[in-house]
Amino acid sequence: MEIEEVAKKTPDTRLLTVMDREGDILELFLDAEPTRKRVGVLVRAKHNRRLEGKERKLFEELKASQNTSKIEVMIPRQRWKEAKRGKPEQKGLPGRRGILTVRFQEVTIQSTRPDLSSKQTTLWAVHAVEETPPQDAKRIEWLLLTTEEVRTPEDAARIIDLYTRRWRIEEWHHVLKSGCKILEHQNETAERLKRVIAMDAVLAWRIQLMTLLGREVPDLPCTVFFDEWEVKVLEALEKQKGKRGMKPPYTLNQAIVLVAMQGGYLARNNDPPPGAKCIWKGTMHLYNLAAGYKLATMEAQPP
């Protein structure tokens, strides 16, 4: 795996691969066996596998485990999704704190495939479920398999914390697809496509960082993220509003709200913080305005 090559170049850093249910492949765990001391694997289980020496399968065995605890996690906002393909509409809900009941146990997975009938691997399994989710909220329930040792409730809580970081990666992919529109690129060669996606990856990271900083450190000065010409454009746009406009200097959060409004964010009193999509649209518009503003200012100066 590519991560093993990265591990060779970073001998003082322990790496962990986190995957969703599409990563629940027995060969992945078998390949990770000899390198688990340097490179770990954490996967959300998809298959109810047979266990060595157990009558019950994986899901039933873990749900019956006596190793239990409760933890609190921060669950991000639930996006609205229209009904389609037989699935009901999913209502949009703000982020919330959820109480998860956690069970964990060491398990030995036995292959049922004829070509791998002699193969087995010992892993640790963690089951986390939200017993009483809010109305209209999608219940959190994860069954995780990992090469990391999980012998205590603290170990299980650490595994769940590591898995929740996957949301950040999903948000980044969301910006790549919905903002950068990487699926719509029509470059003539693979090499050109790789170059544009590399630039999009950096842009998506910057948009996501802007979104997170605006929520976590909102009172920073806006100049930590926006250059002189971008700030001038925001000030000019607000000046047009007269008394309704914000007065500079802007905090980071105020500047991000102004950018998001250029991307369609309404900024009503009860609206949640702006998301990555409208920040992306507003940022692209701001870049164009700032370039034009700079060019017009330079042209207006006497030779």
Side-chain angles (χ1 to χ4, degrees):
M1 293 186 292
E2 292 182 1
I3 194 171
E4 294 176 18
E5 296 301 317
V6 175
K8 293 177 182 178
K9 299 176 182 178
T10 55
D12 297 327
T13 302
R14 175 165 175 74
L15 304 178
L16 181 70
T17 299
V18 182
M19 303 183 188
D20 213 352
R21 282 174 284 196
E22 65 272 9
D24 186 7
I25 304 170
L26 181 61
E27 289 91 331
L28 174 69
F29 297 118
L30 295 175
D31 289 344
E33 185 68 34
T35 62
R36 64 167 62 192
K37 290 184 178 180
R38 293 184 296 108
V39 179
V41 172
L42 171 58
V43 175
R44 184 175 177 185
K46 178 180 180 180
H47 306 294
N48 194 11
R49 299 184 180 277
R50 190 177 71 183
L51 302 179
E52 178 70 18
K54 301 288 185 179
E55 293 185 2
R56 291 181 292 224
K57 290 188 175 182
L58 173 63
F59 293 175
E60 291 72 32
E61 180 70 18
L62 191 53
K63 290 177 182 179
S65 174
Q66 298 303 306
N67 299 321
T68 64
S69 63
K70 291 185 181 294
I71 65 169
E72 183 180 81
V73 298
M74 186 62 195
I75 301 171
R77 67 186 181 94
Q78 177 177 293
R79 293 190 181 93
W80 172 82
K81 294 182 180 179
E82 63 179 337
K84 61 180 180 179
R85 297 180 183 177
K87 294 183 179 180
E89 175 192 17
Q90 176 178 290
K91 294 186 177 181
L93 295 174
R96 69 181 193 277
R97 295 190 178 276
I99 304 298
L100 305 184
T101 299
V102 180
R103 294 178 174 84
F104 58 95
Q105 184 172 326
E106 187 177 15
V107 295
T108 300
I109 293 176
Q110 178 68 51
S111 174
T112 58
R113 285 172 43 182
D115 58 327
L116 295 174
S117 58
S118 62
K119 301 290 186 178
Q120 62 182 41
T121 183
T122 299
L123 303 167
W124 280 265
V126 178
H127 178 251
V129 61
E130 187 180 20
E131 303 286 358
T132 55
Q135 186 178 3
D136 297 324
K138 189 175 182 181
R139 179 191 301 273
I140 295 295
E141 183 170 10
W142 304 319
L143 200 154
L144 309 175
L145 293 172
T146 181
T147 55
E148 304 292 285
E149 291 190 3
V150 184
R151 301 188 182 277
T152 66
E154 291 74 21
D155 291 340
R158 172 177 171 269
I159 292 300
I160 292 171
D161 177 63
L162 290 170
Y163 180 72
T164 59
R165 300 183 190 188
R166 180 184 59 87
W167 285 327
R168 297 295 187 215
I169 303 299
E170 286 200 353
E171 290 172 358
W172 179 69
H173 283 138
H174 178 69
V175 178
L176 275 174
K177 291 187 286 187
S178 299
C180 301
K181 305 289 185 183
I182 62 170
L183 299 181
E184 299 179 15
H185 291 328
Q186 297 184 7
N187 302 80
E188 294 180 353
T189 67
E191 186 60 34
R192 292 177 182 176
L193 185 60
K194 285 169 59 178
R195 291 174 184 172
V196 72
I197 290 178
M199 291 187 288
D200 285 340
V202 176
L203 286 171
W205 164 80
R206 182 175 172 83
I207 296 300
Q208 186 177 14
L209 179 62
M210 188 192 308
T211 305
L212 296 176
L213 287 179
R215 298 174 185 178
E216 297 180 8
V217 283
D219 295 328
L220 285 177
C222 68
T223 50
V224 302
F225 216 95
F226 298 95
D227 68 21
E228 174 189 0
W229 292 100
E230 291 164 354
V231 174
K232 286 183 177 180
V233 168
L234 295 178
E235 291 176 353
L237 291 171
E238 286 300 285
K239 189 175 181 179
Q240 289 182 338
K241 298 179 182 178
K243 295 181 179 180
R244 295 184 297 110
M246 294 185 189
K247 305 303 179 185
Y250 305 132
T251 65
L252 179 61
N253 182 61
Q254 287 175 325
I256 290 173
V257 168
L258 294 177
V259 171
M261 291 172 67
Q262 297 300 308
Y265 180 62
L266 299 179
R268 296 168 297 196
N269 291 336
N270 295 326
D271 284 341
K277 190 172 182 178
C278 58
I279 290 178
W280 161 265
K281 291 181 178 179
T283 298
M284 294 300 100
H285 187 52
L286 177 64
Y287 285 168
N288 293 331
L289 290 176
Y293 198 151
K294 183 177 181 180
L295 181 61
T297 302
M298 293 172 62
E299 288 293 321
Q301 292 176 352

